[in-house]
Amino acid sequence: MKYLALVATGLVVSAGGAGAGGIDRSGQSIQALFEKGNYAELSFGVVNPSVSGTVAVAPGVSRQSGEVADSYWQVGAAYKYQFNDRLSAAIIYDQPFGADITYSGTSVPFAGTAAATAGGNIAAGQWPIAGTNATLDADAITGLLNYRFANGFGVHGGLRLQKISADSDVPIVAAYSVEGETDEGVGHVVGISYEKPEIALRVSLTYNSSIETNHKTTETTVAFGTTTSTTEINTPESINLEFQSGVAQNTLVFGSVRWVDWSGFTITPRDYQILTGGPFLSYTDDAYTYTIGVGRRFTPKFSGSVSFTYEENDDNTPVSNLGPTDGKFGVTVGARYENESGMILSGGVNYTWIGDAPTEIGALRTEFKDNDAIGVGFKIAYRY
């Protein structure tokens, strides 16, 4: 019973990424490390966010943005090996961060700051941010060791290799276009855990360090032409508290709390900062994500779960136009089947209400409201 819920819900945790703090997607869970025996898994998920709002084009003048968040796939894999009763290891692949934003339409390039543009150089009825798009992809491989003591406590840790790539177009800022070459960086993971198998109890606390990458960056504008420089990206440090416990026969309660240091995150290409006086992407607040759920085994082979995820919404503080959401509330329903040979099939569906968020283009304030996302996931695993 102690393995039910985490398998069933982990499939579509990424669905909440459409409204998660910053550009968070996978949640960086390491629960495969705690699976029973030797274990391997492969998971697939697709997320379809619906994000739109009212975009200001001049003081007192606005128009509908249309859909700005693109659908995306999430892929994950893990392999865990149990050396003996005390020592185990795992290799986990995930896609921890990402962004896919597109504002359709056309806009007039302006060789000056975003503030000056919004201050009167765009004619009424034109759409300043049209044509803006941004893509960021992150892939990570984490290698971990876990050592359990006789009293139920354990320690785990390892290294994470992470690859980042990004590109964007922001026509309003001097016909700005940027492409950052792929770069890799290494960080570390450390944590502690406590397990009491007879009541399906497990609590784990895991710290994920920041990871620095340095990207050869090509920027193109009408102001400076094509230039190259190096842009540093530090993906944020985070802490995951994950727990589960049996509460009745064949019934398990589980949950997690995730903190991410988004207030220290920024992407600042050189020419963009010169033109606008600010970073390309940054956040003012950290993100706290809370999950609570219950799993139930209906037969020896079949079980299901339902869980709820929450992030606080601040609909007053402006966020980036490249991520016009803040906060969320999501519901995930999962099901799982395991046969005698150790084959495990599980799937789930997530629906997330995305929090309202304002953005700013200079003096013009825009609003993104009443948005949502649907995610579907599937996992195949084998225990031996």
Side-chain angles (χ1 to χ4, degrees):
M1 184 63 200
K2 63 181 178 178
Y3 304 105
L4 158 66
L6 294 174
V7 171
T9 61
L11 294 170
V12 289
V13 67
S14 62
I23 50 175
D24 212 353
R25 282 194 173 171
S26 75
Q28 297 178 308
S29 176
I30 62 165
Q31 289 305 310
L33 181 64
F34 300 106
E35 286 288 345
K36 180 181 178 182
N38 300 322
Y39 174 84
E41 68 175 37
L42 180 65
S43 62
F44 303 89
V46 62
V47 182
N48 182 25
S50 177
V51 178
S52 63
T54 301
V55 180
V57 297
V61 181
S62 62
R63 61 175 288 185
Q64 295 300 309
S65 69
E67 295 291 341
V68 303
D70 298 331
S71 299
Y72 60 90
W73 286 86
Q74 285 285 99
V75 179
Y79 176 74
K80 181 251 180 173
Y81 185 78
Q82 189 74 41
F83 294 103
N84 52 49
D85 291 343
R86 297 276 187 260
L87 183 65
S88 60
I91 298 176
I92 300 172
Y93 166 77
D94 70 337
Q95 298 170 310
F97 307 106
D100 291 279
I101 294 291
T102 302
Y103 289 80
S104 60
T106 59
S107 63
V108 177
F110 179 75
T113 66
T117 300
N121 291 345
I122 294 294
Q126 291 178 329
W127 185 13
I129 201 171
T132 296
N133 62 79
T135 301
L136 184 144
D137 295 309
D139 299 272
I141 296 178
T142 306
L144 297 168
L145 290 174
N146 180 36
Y147 185 82
R148 289 191 61 194
F149 300 99
N151 59 4
F153 284 93
V155 293
H156 57 272
L159 297 176
R160 173 174 288 126
L161 174 64
Q162 183 172 275
K163 179 180 70 175
I164 297 281
S165 62
D167 60 79
S168 179
D169 298 296
V170 188
I172 187 178
V173 181
Y176 182 82
S177 177
V178 61
E179 181 177 354
E181 291 188 2
T182 300
D183 190 41
E184 298 83 26
V186 178
H188 61 272
V189 179
V190 294
I192 59 174
S193 64
Y194 177 76
E195 295 182 88
K196 193 172 183 180
E198 55 267 32
I199 59 171
L201 172 66
R202 180 171 69 240
V203 181
S204 64
L205 183 69
T206 304
Y207 170 79
N208 304 287
S209 75
S210 174
I211 298 179
E212 177 182 324
T213 51
N214 292 279
H215 304 263
K216 181 180 178 181
T217 304
T218 301
E219 297 174 271
T220 303
T221 65
V222 297
F224 304 127
T226 299
T227 65
T228 59
S229 59
T230 299
T231 301
E232 179 182 300
I233 297 178
N234 286 280
T235 52
E237 62 182 347
S238 63
I239 296 175
N240 286 3
L241 173 64
E242 299 174 283
F243 66 90
Q244 64 173 60
S245 179
V247 293
Q249 184 69 28
N250 295 325
T251 303
L252 186 75
V253 170
F254 62 94
S256 66
V257 179
R258 174 169 167 82
W259 165 79
V260 186
D261 184 24
W262 285 114
S263 62
F265 175 81
T266 182
I267 299 178
T268 311
R270 184 188 62 193
D271 290 357
Y272 188 89
Q273 185 176 36
I274 294 172
L275 288 166
T276 66
F280 180 81
L281 181 62
S282 65
Y283 299 96
T284 58
D285 298 316
D286 296 345
Y288 295 85
T289 306
Y290 306 90
T291 300
I292 188 71
V294 60
R296 175 74 178 176
R297 184 169 63 189
F298 301 109
T299 72
K301 295 181 178 180
F302 180 75
S303 55
S305 65
V306 61
S307 63
F308 304 90
T309 301
Y310 171 78
E311 278 184 17
E312 183 179 2
N313 169 244
D314 176 6
D315 57 4
N316 291 314
T317 302
V319 299
S320 169
N321 284 289
L322 301 181
T325 63
D326 188 79
K328 65 179 180 180
F329 177 75
V331 179
T332 300
V333 178
R336 175 178 181 271
Y337 173 84
E338 180 174 3
N339 62 25
E340 296 85 351
S341 66
M343 183 67 70
I344 305 166
L345 302 176
S346 50
V349 178
N350 169 278
Y351 184 84
T352 295
W353 291 266
I354 300 174
D356 298 343
T359 68
E360 288 183 346
I361 310 172
L364 301 179
R365 189 176 178 92
T366 67
E367 300 288 342
F368 288 82
K369 292 184 175 182
D370 303 324
N371 294 306
D372 57 18
I374 297 175
V376 179
F378 176 78
K379 181 184 292 184
I380 182 169
Y382 182 65
R383 192 192 320 278
Y384 63 98

